[in-house]
Amino acid sequence: MLRPLTSALRLLRPWKPLQTRGCASDGAARGREIQVRALEGPDQGITEILMNRPRARNALGNVFVRELLEALAQLREDRQVRVLLFRSAVKGVFCAGADLKEREQMSEAEVEVFVQRLRGMMTEIGGTQRLPRCLGVALAKELIFTGRRLSGTQAQVLGLVNHAVVQNEEGNAAYHRARALAQEILPQAPIAVRLSKVAIDRGMEVDIASGMAIEGICYAQNIPTQDRLEGMAAFREKRPPKFVGK
């Protein structure tokens, strides 16, 4: 069982610089449904994916998904990106979910292919399996069978989201909370953060013993890094660490 896990967890691939970045200030990118913006100054290392499909309330259509997959494929190889934020350019809307008008025009085969693309991109898809693991079987069935909509506060109480914020006049309170969280993550050792994410995500899919083995594989990849030595030196010298992602 550990042999395929070992190969699957080799995530420290050779770095390739991002070739192109759509940006909200880029004339060529303004018409794109997915735009990418790298923040600067003290927020350097935080990159935003801007969802910009106002007529369909950022619904997941073919073009939207294709552009999003392209952006993620490039960002995945960019060592300069430490934290990724998803942000809506449509006021009052984050993402309306599936584009049902577009899907109505698809054949059954096209729908199947499209859903598989979404599964590869979004861990939230698969509610009949994920929701019971979060909330328990009884409550998951109640929510799925009734199709009940939850407010942000209700979702937070149930543990489906980490934070619920009071909206501000500009309508971007959630963005500011997300950006503040990104700023907390930003100074942490990026390789260790990435490996921790892998260990948690993969470990939740298996039994505890296998999960501990996954953690060991991930930790082994962190041992030879420059950042691990910097962290120990900073602790010894009683100073803030300066992690570089190597």
Side-chain angles (χ1 to χ4, degrees):
M1 182 175 182
L2 294 183
R3 186 177 301 169
L5 285 176
T6 304
S7 59
L9 294 174
R10 296 185 188 278
L11 79 167
L12 302 183
R13 296 164 291 185
W15 173 62
K16 297 179 182 178
L18 192 63
Q19 299 298 319
T20 58
R21 278 192 184 180
C23 177
S25 60
D26 253 338
R30 286 174 185 166
R32 293 179 63 86
E33 295 182 3
I34 296 296
Q35 300 168 13
V36 179
R37 182 170 75 109
L39 303 188
E40 299 176 347
D43 288 337
Q44 184 175 356
I46 299 175
T47 294
E48 296 179 350
I49 284 187
L50 193 68
M51 300 179 292
N52 184 39
R53 197 185 178 205
R55 292 184 179 179
R57 298 169 61 84
N58 289 338
L60 301 174
N62 267 313
V63 174
F64 185 99
V65 171
R66 186 189 72 243
E67 291 183 2
L68 181 54
L69 288 172
E70 290 172 355
L72 291 174
Q74 294 186 67
L75 292 170
R76 192 173 290 117
E77 302 294 338
D78 189 348
R79 190 190 294 175
Q80 300 175 45
V81 178
R82 294 195 179 188
V83 188
L84 187 61
L85 285 181
F86 282 79
R87 183 181 186 183
S88 173
V90 184
K91 189 172 183 178
V93 175
F94 184 72
C95 176
D99 188 334
L100 298 182
K101 292 181 180 179
E102 186 176 281
R103 188 170 297 185
E104 189 178 17
Q105 307 302 317
M106 295 180 183
S107 66
E108 292 184 6
E110 289 172 331
V111 170
E112 184 175 352
V113 170
F114 185 73
V115 170
Q116 288 302 319
R117 291 172 67 198
L118 289 179
R119 287 185 186 278
M121 177 181 68
M122 301 172 61
T123 58
E124 289 80 5
I125 290 178
T128 62
Q129 300 306 305
R130 300 183 188 281
L131 202 58
R133 287 168 168 78
C134 293
L135 303 180
V137 173
L139 186 53
K141 284 182 176 179
E142 178 180 332
L143 294 177
I144 291 173
F145 294 170
T146 61
R148 185 180 304 151
R149 294 186 179 186
L150 301 176
S151 67
T153 301
Q154 289 172 322
Q156 184 188 28
V157 169
L158 292 176
L160 293 176
V161 299
N162 290 358
H163 306 280
V165 295
V166 177
Q167 190 59 281
N168 57 21
E169 293 183 2
E170 293 77 20
N172 59 3
Y175 165 72
H176 284 295
R177 182 65 188 89
R179 186 161 170 171
L181 180 57
Q183 290 166 340
E184 286 188 70
I185 298 172
L186 186 59
Q188 309 307 319
I191 296 174
V193 171
R194 194 184 321 153
L195 288 167
S196 297
K197 181 179 179 181
V198 171
I200 293 169
D201 290 347
R202 299 288 175 84
M204 288 298 294
E205 299 172 354
V206 297
D207 60 86
I208 185 68
S210 300
M212 295 298 290
I214 291 172
E215 181 183 283
I217 294 170
C218 289
Y219 182 69
Q221 294 188 59
N222 190 57
I223 290 176
T225 64
Q226 180 179 327
D227 279 351
R228 187 181 74 90
L229 298 178
E230 165 63 14
M232 292 189 295
F235 178 79
R236 183 179 65 254
E237 298 166 10
K238 298 181 179 180
R239 59 170 175 81
K242 297 180 180 179
F243 297 119
V244 296
K246 295 181 180 180

